[in-house]
Amino acid sequence: MVTIPHSPSNHSLADVMPSVAAALGVHGHNPLKLEASRDAVLVLVDGLGAELIREHAEHAPTLASMTTRMISAGFPSTTATSLTSLAVGAPCSQHGIVGYSFRISDSAGPTTFNPLRWTLESSGGPTAIDRFPPRELQSMPSLLEVLAADGVEVTYVMRAEFRDSGLTRAAFRADGAYLPANTLAEISRAVTATVSHPSRTRRFVYAYFGDLDMIGHVHGPGSPEWLHSLREVDAFIADLATDLPTSCRLVVTADHGMVTAQTQIDIDTTPALLADVINVAGEARVRHAYARDGAAQEVLAAWTSHLSGHARVLSREQALDEHLFGPGREHAGRLGDVIAIATGGVVLTRSQNEELETSLLGHHGANTAAEQHIPLISR
């Protein structure tokens, strides 16, 4: 029987790590009311939207039965933003990773920055590590640092290439043991080996699996390839829930859901969307347009007119007033002068500047239920 609620609670991904820390006796604020435990394992499955679990429950019976709570990913629903919100326990208006890409400035001037790859100009551009050191660009402390400072042993389980990535250093920040793992079987072995033996210290394990998201991007959510991966994730969670000691809390969540592209609007070949625009950032479901000086209103009018019925278009000030990215204005300058949020199955692509991203079938970033609703499993 599918037990997934039809609407999320008033909590978001930013509430998960504060609650885990509280369950471990480290942090006083426990918004998700997680019960106390000696050890904790947090598994984040990239792209595992709650609406996708509901739609394909016959392929994921364990996930469907265990997802009795649902929370929101936060806006925008994209990996770099979500993982940082998870780690620091705050929305992107406070930590500053405001999207898949955005404009940022230093003494050398403004440039487009991609925090997922930690590159300049595009996902395949030159590294930004030296120009924008991760711990300076995102300076909020993470909850993993709080755990480590309180004597909790922190262990990371994920792909080896993520260990020293700019995003890992910016968001998670804390030192700890690192167990490289690519497959679900490798993740399971690493997690259980870490918490199954007796220890005098409390332990926290963060495990990340990204293949479901990658397959969804390439083949589309709900495709045969994606369903095969979903079944594997379901079996992995079922086994982990059984194999972990009773003294260890298991928390499973995601960073966003996903939608299938249906209608493509190519910004790079649409003159009305390029007039008076010096740069376009974001991703296909949420775009940031940066206008030339004095032309923000003209760009707003043009984007509003051309994207009518395809996207919600608003000014930076309107987005700030609505707390779309969360409360606060510290990083307002990173937002576009104009922001377009795609609706339905619309994607706002850039065929000339983002060839790979334009070819994808699955997308996320906007604030539809399919992209925003994520599971919260706690055992």
Side-chain angles (χ1 to χ4, degrees), residues 33 187 317 362:
K33 302 295 188 291
I187 294 173
E317 281 302 313

Side-chain angles (χ1 to χ4, degrees), residues 17 20-21 24 26 38-42 87 142-158 163 168 171-180 190-191 194-195 197 199 201-207:
M17 274 305 302
V20 169
L24 291 171
V26 176
R38 192 181 189 285
D39 302 317
V41 171
L42 171 60
S142 79
L143 273 299
L144 285 80
E145 289 179 297
V146 174
L147 292 177
D150 203 65
V152 177
E153 290 183 356
V154 174
T155 299
Y156 300 90
V157 179
M158 50 189 175
R163 177 171 190 166
T168 298
F172 294 93
R173 305 173 68 86
D175 293 330
Y178 199 103
L179 303 179
V191 169
T194 300
V195 298
H197 62 85
S199 174
T201 60
R202 293 161 295 166
R203 293 165 294 194
F204 170 73
V205 181
Y206 170 74

